[in-house]
Amino acid sequence: MDIATRVWNHKWRIDPIVRSLIDTDFYKLLMCQSVFRNKPDTQVTFSLINRSKSIRLADLIDEGELREQLDHIRSLSLTRGESTWLRGNTFYGKRQMFRPDFMEWFEGLRLPDYHLEKRDGQYELTFEGSWPEVMMWEVPALAVLMELRGRAVLNHMAKFELQVLYARAMTKLWQKVEALRQIDNLRIADFGTRRRHSYLWQDWCVQAMIEGLGEKFVGTSNCLIAMKRDIEAIGTNAHELPMVYAALAETDAELAQAPYQVLADWHEEHSGNLRIILPDTYGTEGFLKHAPDWLAGWTGIRIDSGDPAAGAEAAIRWWQDRGEDPTRKMIIFSDGLDVDKIAELQAQFAGRCRPSFGWGTLLTNDFRGLTPDDALAPFSLVCKAVSANGRPTVKLSDNPNKAMGPQDEIDRYKRVFDVGQQQRMDVVV
Amino acid sequence: MDIATRVWNHKWRIDPIVRSLIDTDFYKLLMCQSVFRNKPDTQVTFSLINRSKSIRLADLIDEGELREQLDHIRSLSLTRGESTWLRGNTFYGKRQMFRPDFMEWFEGLRLPDYHLEKRDGQYELTFEGSWPEVMMWEVPALAVLMELRGRAVLNHMAKFELQVLYARAMTKLWQKVEALRQIDNLRIADFGTRRRHSYLWQDWCVQAMIEGLGEKFVGTSNCLIAMKRDIEAIGTNAHELPMVYAALAETDAELAQAPYQVLADWHEEHSGNLRIILPDTYGTEGFLKHAPDWLAGWTGIRIDSGDPAAGAEAAIRWWQDRGEDPTRKMIIFSDGLDVDKIAELQAQFAGRCRPSFGWGTLLTNDFRGLTPDDALAPFSLVCKAVSANGRPTVKLSDNPNKAMGPQDEIDRYKRVFDVGQQQRMDVVV
């Protein structure tokens, strides 16, 4: 390393975890553009929720360090190169996916302030403001907390212990890649930004997938890595759209229509492989039953909670009922995947639909079993919209353990969306 | 990396495997000084011997590349820093271990020419000239062949395959370090230069031992790494001394005395922990039986062939017979060691003597099981004195599979040294 580089590195006050506004999931940008167009003035609150209570983040992570990292993210703005890439690159086969008015707004964006305090060994971290701005906090905030928790553990390790830790993690990931390579017609993408071990590790994992899986690896959800490694940026939409639309509904009738209104807005903006239904926000069964016919014409569905095989079977039956050919439909599995589950789902659904996999935490953060007390095992941290224009949001999902919102509102949503008995499943990541 | 470094690196015609004359075993320098003093005009031939015939080196390694590497070694001379370190450093507690006249000679040394040809899928590689010069070829020649064979395999691997290969090797080595750490009162050194996977890998292994074993790791036989990592350089003497002394003997009576004459010369020059007997050149049993009493006063013994436990038991009985206290004697095990054998020998001999371990090939080159067809598994390559002043050398050792020399000379040596039935043992490394 040359002297200038070394001196430059010394100038960093900290070692920043997130160094770019596009070190985030591609679907955030797609959703942000949609929100910027359709609901720009909505005021929202996003909040950190640690579903793994046993991980006492406030005991592990120094508050000063956390503030430094969050402050650093607030200092970021889109670089010229990033802007050029977003404006000029082809996404899902389409040029100028991002409209000039959105790009101009994005170039001027600085993330809004945050509110942080400690309570009961956990951090309360909330972001308030206009929806298009606040929503951009979700992924970097999660990545910062995941990586600071990792650093807290790594700080106690000696130099060669660390080298061997990463050697073991590489070996483990490569074994997964070698197993996935055996699966015919696999289509898999990296969805692991938010709960990754670290940026550098995610970047390594992606490169290993590029070399090890070839055409079977279809891209990454991380825009910065997609740009840097010249691969496809992958992603469509997430629960925050129906959650906020639903919270804004004035009546039960409007509430019942909210999830479809989200997709109607999406339908106007996007076509082809970006038309992917995310049906589970208020229960997949009811969603499909009451869905308008034009939705059955969409390209596919993403299964993000509940038993994935059951969800996929329900989708296939639904398409058949609506006169659609399921073998031409894409089913994207994205919940808690690891190699065995991927192989099992591929075996069950290949030929009956076009299965595809968004592999997250157990791709980019599987350090289970690599430290004596498993102090680096991933855990379930989310950052969700909890209110919109002063009204609480609700998520039911196909797994009651993933539900969120005030109990009276949950009860109301269950009634409106006709949600019956649900199966509880452990949430690991 | 800065531009200048990159351009500088491009200036290398090749990637040199051996880049320093002190990238060799410490005992070579001690022996070289002894030879320089006592037998400077002896003409010797050293020759490469591949005991693992199934590894067809001439098919694996390009002759041009091999010549380039050997030619590069011939271009090396002692640097000022290396000379300063050899002259000024403390070795085995002694300053100025290397005398000024030897250092002056060493500073002017360039390695003599080599003779290389292919035969039956193997390389015939020989070095002829004065003993002090030719002997310095042994370790670098072996290191070059081992590493070129490794490179021939690695050349077919992709970038992340390589990363994962090294990740697996690191994991494997660290598991060994973690196992060794559990052994009370362990004393272990790196003896792995000659059959190492590569210089960088040996350096990594040594650093891992420093961190992982602390005081239990007592040093390395590699002078360059000892200098660079500021640790002890370890080693005493080897078979080449008795082999050449024996070849020079004019009568059977002189021959019988040759191994003791070697140690008499050594006795004059060295004291303390450098007085280590290597008894197996012509059979340990006969050597000890006929040894002069002053030898029993030496600090210890090195067991380098045959069953190590049997050799150590024989040494302990011998010391007892000669009125010495074995619990104060050092027994250095250095033949084909790996973790289980080390643990077993330590358990058997701790308290009965001072066991110590010179861990070689399975420290610095254990890539067994890490490539599909085990193409990187270490093999048994040596480079030995085969003649001295025109007469063939002979080695019997405590394992007939390690014997070498013309059959009629072997028979004569067996008679002179009173060698009976020996147990054949596989030679892996």
Side-chain angles (χ1 to χ4, degrees), chain A residues 83-119:
Chain A
S83 178
T84 301
W85 181 74
L86 287 173
R87 285 173 182 268
N89 193 45
T90 302
F91 298 102
Y92 282 83
K94 180 179 171 187
R95 255 187 220 293
Q96 290 181 305
M97 173 75 81
F98 298 102
R99 291 186 307 273
D101 61 332
F102 173 71
M103 285 307 304
E104 204 170 306
W105 170 85
F106 195 12
E107 283 162 1
L109 175 68
R110 304 291 181 282
L111 292 201
D113 207 354
Y114 58 87
H115 178 80
L116 177 68
E117 55 184 298
K118 289 185 181 184
R119 186 166 307 182

Coordinates of all heavy atoms in Angstrom, one line a residue, chain A residues 83-119:
Chain A
S83 N -25.2 8.1 -10.1 CA -26.4 8.7 -10.7 C -26.4 8.3 -12.2 O -27.4 7.9 -12.8 CB -26.3 10.2 -10.6 OG -27.4 10.8 -11.3
T84 N -25.2 8.4 -12.8 CA -25.0 8.0 -14.2 C -25.5 6.6 -14.5 O -26.2 6.3 -15.4 CB -23.6 8.2 -14.7 OG1 -23.2 9.6 -14.5 CG2 -23.4 7.8 -16.1
W85 N -25.0 5.7 -13.5 CA -25.4 4.3 -13.7 C -26.9 4.1 -13.6 O -27.5 3.4 -14.4 CB -24.7 3.5 -12.6 CG -24.9 2.0 -12.7 CD1 -24.4 1.1 -13.6 CD2 -25.7 1.2 -11.8 NE1 -24.8 -0.2 -13.3 CE2 -25.6 -0.1 -12.2 CE3 -26.5 1.6 -10.6 CZ2 -26.3 -1.1 -11.5 CZ3 -27.2 0.6 -10.0 CH2 -27.1 -0.8 -10.4
L86 N -27.5 4.7 -12.6 CA -29.0 4.6 -12.4 C -29.7 5.1 -13.6 O -30.7 4.5 -14.0 CB -29.4 5.3 -11.1 CG -29.1 4.6 -9.8 CD1 -29.5 5.5 -8.6 CD2 -29.8 3.2 -9.7
R87 N -29.3 6.2 -14.1 CA -30.0 6.9 -15.2 C -29.7 6.1 -16.5 O -30.7 5.9 -17.4 CB -29.5 8.3 -15.5 CG -30.0 9.3 -14.5 CD -29.2 10.7 -14.7 NE -29.6 11.7 -13.8 CZ -30.6 12.6 -13.9 NH1 -31.3 12.6 -15.0 NH2 -30.8 13.5 -13.0
G88 N -28.5 5.5 -16.7 CA -28.2 5.0 -18.0 C -28.3 3.5 -18.1 O -28.3 2.9 -19.2
N89 N -28.2 2.8 -17.0 CA -28.2 1.3 -17.1 C -29.5 0.7 -17.5 O -30.6 1.3 -17.3 CB -27.8 0.8 -15.7 CG -27.4 -0.7 -15.7 OD1 -26.7 -1.1 -16.6 ND2 -27.9 -1.5 -14.8
T90 N -29.5 -0.5 -18.0 CA -30.7 -1.2 -18.3 C -31.1 -2.1 -17.1 O -30.3 -2.9 -16.6 CB -30.4 -2.2 -19.5 OG1 -30.0 -1.3 -20.6 CG2 -31.7 -2.9 -19.9
F91 N -32.3 -1.9 -16.6 CA -32.8 -2.8 -15.5 C -34.0 -3.6 -16.0 O -34.9 -3.0 -16.6 CB -33.2 -1.9 -14.3 CG -32.1 -1.1 -13.7 CD1 -32.0 0.3 -14.0 CD2 -31.1 -1.7 -12.9 CE1 -31.0 1.0 -13.5 CE2 -30.1 -0.9 -12.4 CZ -30.0 0.4 -12.7
Y92 N -33.9 -4.9 -15.8 CA -35.0 -5.7 -16.3 C -35.3 -5.4 -17.7 O -36.5 -5.4 -18.2 CB -36.3 -5.6 -15.4 CG -36.2 -6.3 -14.1 CD1 -35.5 -5.7 -13.0 CD2 -36.7 -7.5 -13.9 CE1 -35.5 -6.3 -11.8 CE2 -36.7 -8.2 -12.7 CZ -36.0 -7.6 -11.6 OH -35.9 -8.2 -10.4
G93 N -34.2 -5.2 -18.5 CA -34.4 -5.1 -19.9 C -34.8 -3.7 -20.3 O -35.1 -3.4 -21.5
K94 N -35.0 -2.8 -19.4 CA -35.6 -1.5 -19.7 C -34.6 -0.4 -19.4 O -34.0 -0.3 -18.4 CB -36.8 -1.3 -18.8 CG -37.6 0.0 -19.1 CD -38.8 0.1 -18.2 CE -39.4 1.5 -18.2 NZ -40.5 1.7 -17.3
R95 N -34.4 0.5 -20.4 CA -33.6 1.7 -20.2 C -34.4 2.8 -19.5 O -35.6 2.8 -19.6 CB -33.1 2.2 -21.5 CG -31.6 1.9 -21.7 CD -31.0 2.5 -22.9 NE -30.1 1.6 -23.5 CZ -28.9 1.1 -22.9 NH1 -28.6 1.6 -21.7 NH2 -28.2 0.2 -23.5
Q96 N -33.7 3.7 -18.8 CA -34.4 4.8 -18.2 C -35.6 4.4 -17.3 O -36.7 4.9 -17.3 CB -34.9 5.8 -19.2 CG -33.7 6.6 -19.8 CD -34.1 7.6 -20.8 OE1 -34.8 7.3 -21.8 NE2 -33.6 8.8 -20.6
M97 N -35.3 3.3 -16.5 CA -36.2 2.8 -15.5 C -36.6 4.0 -14.5 O -37.7 4.1 -14.0 CB -35.6 1.7 -14.8 CG -36.3 1.1 -13.6 SD -37.8 0.2 -14.1 CE -37.0 -1.4 -14.5
F98 N -35.6 4.8 -14.2 CA -35.8 5.8 -13.2 C -36.0 7.2 -14.0 O -35.1 7.6 -14.8 CB -34.6 5.9 -12.3 CG -34.5 4.7 -11.5 CD1 -33.5 3.7 -11.8 CD2 -35.4 4.4 -10.4 CE1 -33.4 2.5 -11.0 CE2 -35.2 3.2 -9.7 CZ -34.3 2.3 -10.0
R99 N -37.1 7.8 -13.7 CA -37.5 9.0 -14.4 C -36.6 10.2 -14.0 O -36.2 10.3 -12.9 CB -39.0 9.3 -14.2 CG -39.9 8.3 -14.8 CD -41.4 8.8 -14.6 NE -41.7 9.0 -13.2 CZ -42.1 8.1 -12.4 NH1 -42.3 6.9 -12.7 NH2 -42.3 8.4 -11.1
P100 N -36.5 11.1 -14.9 CA -35.6 12.3 -14.6 C -36.0 13.1 -13.4 O -35.1 13.5 -12.6 CB -35.8 13.2 -15.9 CG -36.1 12.2 -17.0 CD -36.9 11.1 -16.3
D101 N -37.3 13.2 -13.1 CA -37.7 14.0 -12.0 C -37.4 13.3 -10.7 O -36.9 13.9 -9.7 CB -39.2 14.3 -12.0 CG -40.1 13.1 -12.0 OD1 -39.6 12.0 -12.5 OD2 -41.2 13.1 -11.5
F102 N -37.5 11.9 -10.7 CA -37.1 11.1 -9.6 C -35.6 11.2 -9.3 O -35.1 11.4 -8.2 CB -37.5 9.7 -9.7 CG -37.0 8.8 -8.6 CD1 -37.5 8.9 -7.3 CD2 -36.0 7.9 -8.9 CE1 -37.0 8.0 -6.3 CE2 -35.4 7.0 -7.9 CZ -36.0 7.1 -6.6
M103 N -34.8 11.1 -10.4 CA -33.4 11.1 -10.3 C -32.9 12.5 -9.8 O -32.0 12.5 -8.9 CB -32.7 10.8 -11.7 CG -32.7 9.4 -12.1 SD -32.1 8.2 -10.8 CE -30.4 8.9 -10.6
E104 N -33.5 13.5 -10.2 CA -33.2 14.9 -9.7 C -33.4 15.0 -8.2 O -32.6 15.5 -7.5 CB -34.0 15.9 -10.5 CG -33.3 17.3 -10.5 CD -34.1 18.2 -11.5 OE1 -34.3 17.8 -12.6 OE2 -34.5 19.3 -11.0
W105 N -34.6 14.4 -7.8 CA -34.9 14.4 -6.4 C -33.8 13.5 -5.6 O -33.3 13.9 -4.6 CB -36.3 13.9 -6.1 CG -36.6 13.6 -4.7 CD1 -37.1 14.5 -3.8 CD2 -36.5 12.3 -4.0 NE1 -37.2 13.8 -2.6 CE2 -36.8 12.5 -2.7 CE3 -36.0 11.0 -4.4 CZ2 -36.8 11.5 -1.7 CZ3 -36.0 10.0 -3.5 CH2 -36.4 10.3 -2.2
F106 N -33.5 12.4 -6.2 CA -32.6 11.5 -5.5 C -31.2 12.1 -5.4 O -30.5 11.9 -4.4 CB -32.5 10.1 -6.3 CG -31.9 9.0 -5.6 CD1 -31.7 9.0 -4.2 CD2 -31.6 7.8 -6.3 CE1 -31.1 7.9 -3.6 CE2 -31.1 6.7 -5.6 CZ -30.8 6.8 -4.3
E107 N -30.8 12.8 -6.4 CA -29.5 13.4 -6.4 C -29.4 14.5 -5.2 O -28.3 14.7 -4.7 CB -29.2 14.1 -7.7 CG -28.7 13.1 -8.8 CD -28.8 13.6 -10.2 OE1 -29.2 14.8 -10.4 OE2 -28.5 12.9 -11.1
G108 N -30.5 15.1 -4.9 CA -30.5 16.0 -3.8 C -30.8 15.4 -2.4 O -30.7 16.2 -1.4
L109 N -31.1 14.1 -2.4 CA -31.5 13.5 -1.1 C -30.4 13.4 -0.1 O -29.2 13.0 -0.4 CB -32.0 12.1 -1.4 CG -32.4 11.3 -0.2 CD1 -33.6 11.9 0.5 CD2 -32.7 9.8 -0.6
R110 N -30.7 13.8 1.1 CA -29.8 13.4 2.3 C -30.8 12.8 3.2 O -32.0 13.3 3.4 CB -29.2 14.7 3.0 CG -28.4 15.6 2.1 CD -27.1 14.9 1.7 NE -26.3 15.8 0.9 CZ -26.5 16.1 -0.4 NH1 -27.5 15.5 -1.0 NH2 -25.7 17.0 -1.0
L111 N -30.4 11.7 3.9 CA -31.4 11.0 4.8 C -31.7 11.9 6.0 O -30.9 12.6 6.5 CB -30.8 9.6 5.2 CG -30.6 8.6 4.1 CD1 -30.6 7.2 4.7 CD2 -31.8 8.6 3.1
P112 N -33.0 11.8 6.4 CA -33.5 12.6 7.5 C -32.9 12.1 8.8 O -32.3 11.1 8.9 CB -35.0 12.5 7.5 CG -35.2 11.2 6.7 CD -34.1 11.0 5.8
D113 N -33.1 12.9 9.9 CA -32.6 12.6 11.2 C -33.2 11.3 11.8 O -34.2 10.8 11.3 CB -32.9 13.8 12.1 CG -31.8 13.9 13.2 OD1 -31.0 13.0 13.3 OD2 -31.8 14.9 14.0
Y114 N -32.6 10.8 12.8 CA -33.1 9.6 13.5 C -33.3 9.9 14.9 O -32.7 10.9 15.5 CB -32.1 8.5 13.3 CG -30.7 8.8 13.8 CD1 -30.4 8.5 15.1 CD2 -29.7 9.3 13.0 CE1 -29.1 8.8 15.6 CE2 -28.5 9.7 13.5 CZ -28.1 9.4 14.8 OH -26.9 9.7 15.3
H115 N -34.0 9.1 15.6 CA -34.2 9.2 17.0 C -33.7 7.9 17.7 O -34.2 6.8 17.3 CB -35.7 9.4 17.4 CG -35.9 9.5 18.9 ND1 -35.6 10.6 19.6 CD2 -36.4 8.6 19.7 CE1 -35.9 10.4 20.9 NE2 -36.4 9.2 21.0
L116 N -32.8 8.0 18.6 CA -32.2 6.8 19.2 C -32.2 6.9 20.7 O -31.8 7.8 21.3 CB -30.7 6.7 18.7 CG -29.9 5.5 19.2 CD1 -30.4 4.2 18.7 CD2 -28.4 5.7 18.9
E117 N -32.7 5.8 21.3 CA -32.5 5.6 22.8 C -32.4 4.2 23.1 O -32.9 3.3 22.4 CB -33.5 6.4 23.6 CG -35.0 6.1 23.3 CD -35.9 7.0 24.1 OE1 -35.8 7.0 25.4 OE2 -36.7 7.7 23.5
K118 N -31.9 4.0 24.3 CA -31.8 2.6 24.8 C -33.0 2.3 25.7 O -33.4 3.1 26.5 CB -30.5 2.4 25.7 CG -29.2 2.5 25.0 CD -28.1 2.2 25.9 CE -26.7 2.2 25.2 NZ -25.6 1.8 26.1
R119 N -33.5 1.1 25.6 CA -34.5 0.6 26.5 C -34.4 -0.9 26.7 O -34.5 -1.6 25.7 CB -35.9 1.0 26.1 CG -37.0 0.7 27.1 CD -38.3 1.4 26.8 NE -38.1 2.9 26.6 CZ -39.1 3.8 26.4 NH1 -40.3 3.3 26.3 NH2 -38.8 5.0 26.2

